[in-house]
Amino acid sequence: MSRVYNFSAGPSMLPLEVLKKAAAEMTEYGDSGMSVMEMSHRSKEYKAIIDNAEALVRELMNVPDNYKVLFLQGCGSTQFAMIPLNLANKNKKADYVITGQWAKKAAAEAERYITVNRVASSADKTFSYIPKLDKSTFSSDADYLYNCFNNKI
């Protein structure tokens, strides 16, 4: 078998040992009698999987205990609506840093549900830089700050 190196946007290559383990567990995860895709999200097996995944995310990204880790389905465009609908629950306001086309689309979608304050933008130079933030432009009552550094377009 020959393997290629995939550096495309979106999905990329996985280590062969990871793929082999996934293939071996496709019909039965551990000794559960079913695949992960068949088990209840309330089962003890799934709870162990998600708890381990959260612990790894916290360790790798140094996420403190007073922050929540959210595992959400859908692609980036789905999150443009899910983020304000789920996080802007107090004041219905958010601060957005417009760093590229995806951030621009995220702010436009959020405006369908909440008040969006664009605190900074690099649109003036075709999103070729990350704009410097000035704390005086932030809302004192924003429910969250949206900042996307990965605008692949």
Side-chain angles (χ1 to χ4, degrees), residues 68-121:
K68 301 280 188 195
V69 174
L70 303 175
F71 294 100
L72 304 170
Q73 68 184 39
C75 61
S77 297
T78 302
Q79 304 311 316
F80 296 161
M82 287 181 70
I83 290 170
L85 288 170
N86 285 286
L87 299 182
N89 51 20
K90 185 177 179 186
N91 296 314
K92 305 282 188 223
K93 294 180 184 178
D95 291 338
Y96 274 67
V97 181
I98 310 302
T99 54
Q101 292 298 329
W102 289 118
K104 185 177 169 182
K105 290 177 183 193
E109 180 67 17
E111 282 181 318
R112 296 178 61 199
Y113 312 102
I114 64 170
T115 301
V116 169
N117 176 30
R118 289 169 173 79
V119 296
S121 176

Side-chain angles (χ1 to χ4, degrees), residues 5 9 21 26-27 36 54 72 80 121-122 126 128 133 140:
Y5 290 95
K21 183 175 181 185
M26 183 58 68
T27 57
V36 173
E54 180 177 341
L72 304 170
F80 296 161
S121 176
S122 57
T126 323
S128 61
L133 301 179
S140 61

Side-chain angles (χ1 to χ4, degrees), residues 130-148:
I130 302 296
K132 186 173 181 173
L133 301 179
D134 179 355
K135 65 181 179 180
S136 69
T137 64
F138 287 86
S139 306
S140 61
D141 58 349
D143 292 315
Y144 66 90
L145 166 69
Y146 183 96
N147 194 1
C148 175

